[in-house]
Amino acid sequence: MKSTRSQLIIYFLVLLTVGLGTVFILADRVVDQVLVERQKASIEAIELRLAERIKNEREKFDSELLTHARLIGRVARAEYLPQSEGETRQFHKQLVPLYFINMGPMHSLWAVSWQNGIQPPRRGPSSPNSAPSLYWSLLRTYFSNLRLDELFIRSRDEDYDSQNEFVQINGPFSSRVSRSDNLLASSFSLPFDRRSFSRSLEDYEHSDVLLPYDQQGRRVLLKCPIPLLSFGRFPSSGSRGSSGRGEDGRTRFDPLQMIYIQVARETSELDRTIFLFEQEAAIDKLKLQNETNRTVRWVRFAIGLISLTTFLACIVGSSWLIYRGLKPLNQLSEAVSKVTEKDFHLTMNSSELTLELRPIHDRLQETLDQLKNAFDREKQAVADISHELRTPVASLLATIDVAIRKPRSTTEYVQSLTECRAITKQLGLLVEKIISLAYIDAGYNQTEFQDVDLRSILNSCSTIIRPLAQSHGFQFHYLESEQDLVLHTDPKKIQEVILNLLHNAIEYNRENGSITLAAEQLNKEIEISVYDTGIGIADEHKDKIFQRFYRVDASRTATGVHAGLGLSIVKEYVTQIGGNITLESKPGEGSTFKIRLPLNPQSQIETKPKSKSLLKLF
């Protein structure tokens, strides 16, 4: 047997499971999304930090190269001047003898230049073929290609590493180059293109370069101006004394006064450092991923544990909560269990129940009151039936006792038997009415609907009642309708209803009274009227006239013919065929019964058997 408590617990737990499952899924997705976003942000931060560290390391590497190149530039500035003075004397020593031998300055200058492997500048519009111009051009070229010994660099720079760093100094022309020992040992020269540089005062650039033995390296190329003679810088390659200003107005130094310092270093150490940085970043990402996974697992475990704990707590607490919630219902059930056939009143008040149970309590109390009234009516019916049967039975016994008390004549016996027959006929009519009501209550009285012509039924009833009314001295009038009165109903029941009302009109009419039967169609209904000029019915009896065994005139019960069951049967039949009956009456003026029947009743009441024993009705 199903229990309301167990069903409520099951429904509650199912709803709770669905709710907790939904919350778990939504929370898992939200947490996973948040952690994924946080992981992305952390990975971006790691990558930015890695890029910043690599950038700083490269800048540090380039800065060291540039610092060393500038240090070499300062050494070059300090060492070129004393060398230039000695070279000047040597240049003049070579120039003077050749001047007298060749008997001309031009031949001497060309001889010195070819003797020292120097290519003098070609003639052109900016370099006139004159001895002074050729002299200064040859002097600039000669001193611009002076070689700076590595010993000078090593003596000036304590941090100089001759093995790992490659140094190369280029003059204005790449034919004269100063290189470090490691470049000389490998017969390797760093690439150099003077034309790719601007003519600013001091400039540098960093670039990747291929070092000896196909090693990858990075270099800095520094352009550095130097003083070649004690009297200052050389004039430009134009005429002597030129100001050396370009078209933009900025002071420009003659390229022959520039040296180009290249400092290169292998990037293996830099690459190793960057690789370590990348490894650290990869490790940080892996740690972050593991931490995120641990966090996700922990959050899922925490949510699952909370959900499980909540579910178990609800299992434990739901029984108690539902018990508390159903306690008023249990109280109502206990109050109903105390109801007996002698006491139909609930022992508890509706104010003691919850708002949801109060209507149930009130409706249950109304039902119990109706049941009590039904029991009372059944008891009263049994009493009334016993009373109604007792009178004719007693009369019948009295007549028989008188007839057999002493010998009688044939005429007297015939008279006694006639009286017994009349009493028995009255008992049969009473039993027939009681059986009709019993069939109605038990549901054995079936209703058979069909299309009928009401005028034929009324004519038949008029034919039956007219002789009876005339025998009692009453006038009977039938107002036949000109309309076709066709409706969907039970012809037997409607005929019995009309005949019963006409019999009552005869029984309760006054002397020389009249009875009128009429019918007419009103919209979708047909109204049947039975009017009499009888004694009438007072207002206080109108609501009770259709109750069983109720009689307005108690003096008419002597023979048991008027038991108060006829109008009860009429009421039941009219209800079964979907109509209603009303009464209009005034005492001393007569009564009018009106029956209204629908042409097509929406609900056709078909009674069904409810009990196999008619004794239960009484």
Side-chain angles (χ1 to χ4, degrees), residues 148-219:
L148 183 61
D149 195 344
E150 187 176 352
L151 296 176
F152 290 100
I153 301 174
R154 187 177 303 172
S155 63
R156 298 286 183 170
D157 186 5
E158 297 179 355
D159 296 331
Y160 174 71
D161 187 358
S162 60
Q163 298 296 326
N164 296 326
E165 286 191 352
F166 302 87
V167 179
Q168 179 174 307
I169 302 175
N170 292 77
F173 301 99
S174 58
S175 58
R176 301 289 295 273
V177 180
S178 296
R179 293 180 294 177
S180 57
D181 292 341
N182 47 14
L183 288 176
L184 293 173
S186 59
S187 301
F188 188 85
S189 296
L190 298 176
F192 171 70
D193 185 4
R194 182 178 61 84
R195 291 173 296 178
S196 62
F197 292 94
S198 63
R199 303 184 64 183
S200 59
L201 179 62
E202 184 175 355
D203 199 4
Y204 66 91
E205 72 172 10
H206 294 87
S207 61
D208 295 328
V209 68
L210 188 64
L211 297 178
Y213 311 110
D214 296 331
Q215 297 179 1
Q216 294 295 329
R218 189 164 179 79
R219 71 172 179 179

Side-chain angles (χ1 to χ4, degrees), residues 79-95 112 116 118 135 138-148 152 176 228-229 234:
E79 298 298 332
Y80 259 57
L81 185 56
Q83 290 189 57
S84 63
E85 292 178 352
E87 292 294 334
T88 301
R89 291 191 294 270
Q90 182 179 357
F91 176 76
H92 285 96
K93 289 180 180 179
Q94 295 181 11
L95 183 61
V112 173
N116 290 274
I118 298 174
Y135 173 80
L138 182 60
L139 188 60
R140 286 196 299 269
T141 303
Y142 186 83
F143 287 107
S144 296
N145 288 281
L146 292 177
R147 183 177 183 276
L148 183 61
F152 290 100
R176 301 289 295 273
L228 296 180
L229 296 175
F234 290 109

Side-chain angles (χ1 to χ4, degrees), residues 532-550:
D532 66 77
T533 58
I535 61 177
I537 300 174
D539 292 339
E540 62 269 17
H541 300 293
K542 289 182 180 179
D543 296 335
K544 303 177 182 178
I545 195 67
F546 295 104
Q547 295 180 4
R548 299 178 183 182
F549 300 102
Y550 184 80

Side-chain angles (χ1 to χ4, degrees), residues 243-279:
S243 62
R245 292 182 178 271
E247 296 178 358
D248 56 359
R250 298 175 58 186
T251 302
R252 298 185 182 278
F253 287 86
D254 195 318
L256 298 179
Q257 296 176 248
M258 300 291 176
I259 62 172
Y260 300 90
I261 304 173
Q262 297 187 68
V263 178
R265 186 184 299 173
E266 295 180 5
T267 57
S268 56
E269 188 67 26
L270 177 63
D271 295 338
R272 189 180 302 106
T273 303
I274 293 175
F275 177 76
L276 293 177
F277 290 164
E278 292 175 348
Q279 288 292 103

Side-chain angles (χ1 to χ4, degrees), residues 84 89 190 212 244 313 318 367 386 481 498 547 578 595 597 609:
S84 63
R89 291 191 294 270
L190 298 176
S318 59
T367 303
S386 301
S481 176
I498 296 173
Q547 295 180 4
I595 301 172
L597 300 173

Side-chain angles (χ1 to χ4, degrees), residues 47 55 64 122 281 363 383 424 457 535:
E47 291 177 351
K55 178 182 176 183
E64 292 177 357
R122 298 181 179 180
R363 182 57 183 163
T424 305
I457 296 177
I535 61 177

Side-chain angles (χ1 to χ4, degrees), residues 593-606:
F593 288 90
K594 293 183 178 181
I595 301 172
R596 287 195 174 186
L597 300 173
L599 297 178
N600 293 299
Q602 295 180 356
S603 60
Q604 301 175 1
I605 305 175
E606 296 184 0

